[in-house]
Amino acid sequence: MSIAYTTEKQLAISAVRRACYLTSQVFNKLVKNETLTKGDKTPVTVGDYAAQALISSMLHHAYPEDPIVGEEDAAELRVESGKVQRDRIVELANEALVQDLQEGDYAEWGIGPGKAQGNHEGGRNGRMWCIDPIDGTKGFLRGEQYAVCLALIIDGEVKVGVIGCPNLPHDLSKPDGGKGCLFVAVRGQGAQQMAVSGANPTPLSMPPYDPATFSFLESVEAAHSSHSTSEKISKLMQITHSPIRMDSQAKYGCLARGDGGAYVRMPTGVGYKEKIWDHAPGSLIVEEAGGIVTNSQGVPLDFGLGRTLGENFGIVATVKSAHAKLLDAVAKAHEGEKAKA
Ligand SMILES: Nc1ncnc2c1ncn2[C@@H]1O[C@H](COP(=O)(O)O)[C@@H](O)[C@H]1OP(=O)(O)O
Ligand SMILES: [Mg+2]
Ligand SMILES: [Mg+2]
Ligand SMILES: [Mg+2]
């Protein structure tokens, strides 16, 4: 029998909802000097730091013993920014904590001061929370897709996953229609999509493989996922539709609700290791909607290795009925690439 994780799920939804509010506020007011470049050359904004501070303080208040694996490192902030930015981050987090976003939401959780650390090393044993406060920071800065991502991992297995996508259309074919989606899953209990407010919760179930509508979801950034390899795979599968490009784990949410057909993320070179916070909630949401998420060789992702997923063979996610075909096409594309090299 699966465990309900009712409290953890409600807390995760509440924290992600507040962080969505915060990041939307930051985008509307973002000023140029609030974007920094981290040691690994990727961008980070006050929104990333403030959203992580907000989520981790809510988690720490409810579960003071639970370790937190967060993408952002406050030490980096101390080095690279001044007091003005630190004050601004605290102010943003505090403001989002007390917003009355939904009846009962704040009162239920209450917030106290606490020293929440997000630098846990991950691993195989025990409970841990995993936060990507803004996944797809480049999409966020372009005013396009990004996602607030939170997962509870226990003994290396994702148990609860919540993704908030403030800019995601409810229906991709109506880009000017309603926007803002939350995707929620608990292992063994299915996945749901709802509005960021929690309105209109709808169970998610991926449609079976249909070659007539099948297409790939992939990164906007060619540096994050090889567009040329996915194009080869797409040709081998005789896919006629162009890929749907969007930033962040919004791709997993879209896949789970039936957009596209597969999420394909192929390495662009040697060296980059995928991070657990970039896949933990998304992979559970897809699995609970009837999909399967593996590396490009068909091996399940291992969330118990630490902060990364280990050696990077790329990631594929699709409905079960398309998985073998997709892996086959990946293998053929790789053979072709090797033969050319
Ligand atoms: N070379 C890389 N290969 C794969 N993913 C990367 C690479 N560099 C950064 N990323 C990460 O990809 C994620 C965004 O994915 P997508 O392109 O699908 O939106 C971000 O978490 C980003 O990290 P970061 O958060 O440090 O920018
Ligand atoms: Mg990320
Ligand atoms: Mg991020
Ligand atoms: Mg980042």
Side-chain angles (χ1 to χ4, degrees), residues 9-82:
K9 173 182 159 187
Q10 288 310 324
L11 171 65
I13 291 173
S14 180
V16 168
R17 175 181 297 134
R18 284 182 185 285
C20 286
Y21 165 84
L22 183 155
T23 53
S24 304
Q25 292 285 103
V26 170
F27 182 76
N28 292 332
K29 297 188 229 154
L30 194 73
V31 288
K32 251 214 157 105
N33 65 5
E34 290 182 326
T35 303
L36 312 168
T37 302
K38 290 197 283 189
D40 64 0
K41 304 278 183 279
T42 61
V44 64
T45 71
V46 290
D48 300 67
Y49 289 118
Q52 181 165 313
L54 166 71
I55 296 170
S56 47
S57 83
M58 290 180 74
L59 297 174
H60 185 71
H61 184 68
Y63 296 106
E65 304 301 321
D66 284 358
I68 298 173
V69 180
E71 180 189 353
E72 306 308 342
D73 180 357
E76 195 135 7
L77 178 65
R78 274 193 291 279
V79 174
E80 297 193 22
S81 72

Side-chain angles (χ1 to χ4, degrees), residues 318-335:
T318 190
V319 68
K320 283 182 188 145
S321 48
H323 190 240
K325 287 180 197 57
L326 180 54
L327 290 183
D328 193 44
V330 171
K332 288 201 176 98
H334 278 158
E335 277 167 28

Side-chain angles (χ1 to χ4, degrees), residues 68-122:
I68 298 173
V69 180
E71 180 189 353
E72 306 308 342
D73 180 357
E76 195 135 7
L77 178 65
R78 274 193 291 279
V79 174
E80 297 193 22
S81 72
K83 184 175 181 319
V84 176
Q85 269 169 345
R86 289 198 297 275
D87 290 348
R88 171 105 159 94
I89 285 158
V90 172
E91 178 199 0
L92 282 164
N94 285 337
E95 200 233 342
L97 279 175
V98 297
Q99 278 298 312
D100 188 12
L101 297 184
Q102 213 209 15
E103 193 119 4
D105 193 38
Y106 171 60
E108 198 176 334
W109 297 114
I111 304 299
K115 273 214 168 343
Q117 299 278 342
N119 53 6
H120 186 66
E121 282 309 309

Side-chain angles (χ1 to χ4, degrees), residues 155-211:
D155 298 336
E157 191 175 53
V158 187
K159 299 293 191 186
V160 179
V162 177
I163 298 181
C165 305
N167 293 343
L168 187 66
H170 297 161
D171 179 345
L172 285 189
S173 70
K174 297 184 184 132
D176 299 322
K179 282 194 174 74
C181 306
L182 278 188
F183 298 96
V184 180
V186 176
R187 186 166 296 280
Q189 291 177 52
Q192 286 183 313
Q193 175 180 216
M194 58 192 80
V196 177
S197 66
N200 304 321
T202 317
L204 296 176
S205 172
M206 290 172 69
Y209 173 60
D210 176 359

Side-chain angles (χ1 to χ4, degrees), residues 38 40 42-43 48 71-72 132 134-138 218-221 223-225 246-249 251 263 265 267-268 272 274-275 277-278 312:
K38 290 197 283 189
D40 64 0
T42 61
D48 300 67
E71 180 189 353
E72 306 308 342
D132 190 338
I134 295 182
D135 180 35
T137 307
K138 287 183 178 163
E218 66 184 22
S219 292
V220 172
E221 298 291 332
H224 295 175
S225 174
M246 70 173 70
D247 302 277
S248 84
Q249 282 176 78
K251 290 187 278 299
Y263 172 12
R265 186 177 186 87
T268 53
Y272 184 80
E274 294 286 346
K275 309 300 187 295
W277 52 80
D278 284 326
N312 183 4

